[in-house]
Amino acid sequence: MFKNAIEKAVVDVLDTGSKLQAPAVRRYVDYLRERHPGESPAQIVARLEKQYLLAVTGSGAAVGATAAVPGIGTLAALGAVSAETVFFMEASALFTLARASVHGIEPEDAEARRALVLAVVLGDAGMAIVQKGLHSQSKNWAGALAGKVPGIAGINSKLLQQFIKKFITKRAALMAGKILPAGIGAAIGGAGNRALGRVTVDNAAKAFGPAPAFWTTPPHNVIDADPLPALDAGKANKK
């Protein structure tokens, strides 16, 4: 039951989230560029990493802190874990796709976006699945997913199976720690989420390589606020 719920949450986040579509992700990167004119792609990548880690650390600590409420804390924390898991996945997807956008990789197809995010989160295991599906050992597998990929559905099926297996193992142990009372859950939740987030950051660095030396196009005219406020949620929770 838990596995099915996680699988549905992952698919829903990756396939139906409007914030994950290429134009929205591009606006987010452009928004950062306009707020910090003159910064190089590498500096913007560093900002993306910092915002992502703050967001997932804060959300994990917030769920853990719920368990400190006398009498109802543990039950409330159990109820919050599923929502926080969805947030973690959404934040991870936003970060991955924003990092890809800096490199000029913007998958328009939902299946391609799903494959890219799952492969990055999985790291070496995800890369191996994609390379096998593409019948190529090229290290440029991330760029290949930006276009139409024959057999992408089969690749995604294997990626999702592997992701659920690894995700459940790591997340189950973390969930048990988050619902501990007396503030212990807050510490475990924050530190645990940051560790998982750090893995995603490191995987993205391996998948995309060094950031481009310079921007090849100017940012579009961005007049609205941060289009992806989810990555800022952790900042509020950290205060």
Side-chain angles (χ1 to χ4, degrees):
M1 181 177 178
F2 178 69
K3 178 180 178 180
N4 291 338
I6 291 295
E7 183 171 341
K8 183 179 184 303
V10 171
V11 172
D12 286 348
V13 166
L14 298 183
D15 290 357
T16 64
S18 61
K19 296 175 185 176
L20 303 182
Q21 294 175 6
V25 174
R26 191 184 310 120
R27 284 198 304 272
Y28 179 43
V29 174
D30 286 343
Y31 171 77
L32 290 178
R33 290 178 62 186
E34 289 201 348
R35 286 191 63 185
H36 307 283
E39 290 197 346
S40 67
Q43 289 172 307
I44 294 298
V45 165
R47 289 189 179 278
L48 289 171
E49 292 175 349
K50 182 178 179 180
Q51 287 185 354
Y52 167 64
L53 291 175
L54 280 174
V56 297
T57 300
S59 65
V63 171
T66 305
V69 179
I72 63 169
T74 300
L75 292 176
L78 282 171
V81 162
S82 60
E84 191 270 333
T85 296
V86 172
F87 173 83
F88 183 91
M89 271 308 304
E90 181 179 57
S92 298
L94 295 179
F95 163 72
T96 298
L97 294 173
R99 175 72 193 263
S101 181
V102 171
H103 290 259
I105 301 171
E106 299 180 335
E108 297 286 348
D109 182 70
E111 289 272 10
R113 289 196 299 271
R114 187 202 297 183
L116 181 60
V117 172
L118 290 175
V120 167
V121 173
L122 280 169
D124 291 341
M127 179 183 71
I129 291 173
V130 172
Q131 287 178 328
K132 185 174 181 180
L134 295 175
H135 304 290
S136 170
Q137 293 301 310
S138 170
K139 293 184 178 181
N140 190 34
W141 61 268
L145 291 175
K148 294 291 184 181
V149 179
I152 187 67
I155 293 174
N156 268 331
S157 178
K158 293 179 181 178
L159 285 170
L160 189 57
Q161 290 174 17
Q162 184 70 11
F163 174 79
I164 294 298
K165 185 189 303 182
K166 287 195 170 187
F167 189 80
I168 287 179
T169 301
K170 293 180 180 179
R171 203 72 183 171
L174 186 54
M175 284 169 58
K178 284 181 181 179
I179 62 174
L180 292 175
I184 300 174
I188 293 177
N193 265 22
R194 185 175 183 84
L196 291 179
R198 187 74 247 178
V199 170
T200 300
V201 168
D202 292 343
N203 288 344
K206 288 194 293 185
F208 300 114
F214 52 86
W215 300 105
T216 58
T217 59
H220 295 77
N221 184 29
V222 181
I223 59 175
D224 56 346
D226 185 345
L228 301 180
L231 286 184
D232 293 326
K235 297 177 183 177
N237 289 331
K238 292 283 285 184
K239 296 180 179 178

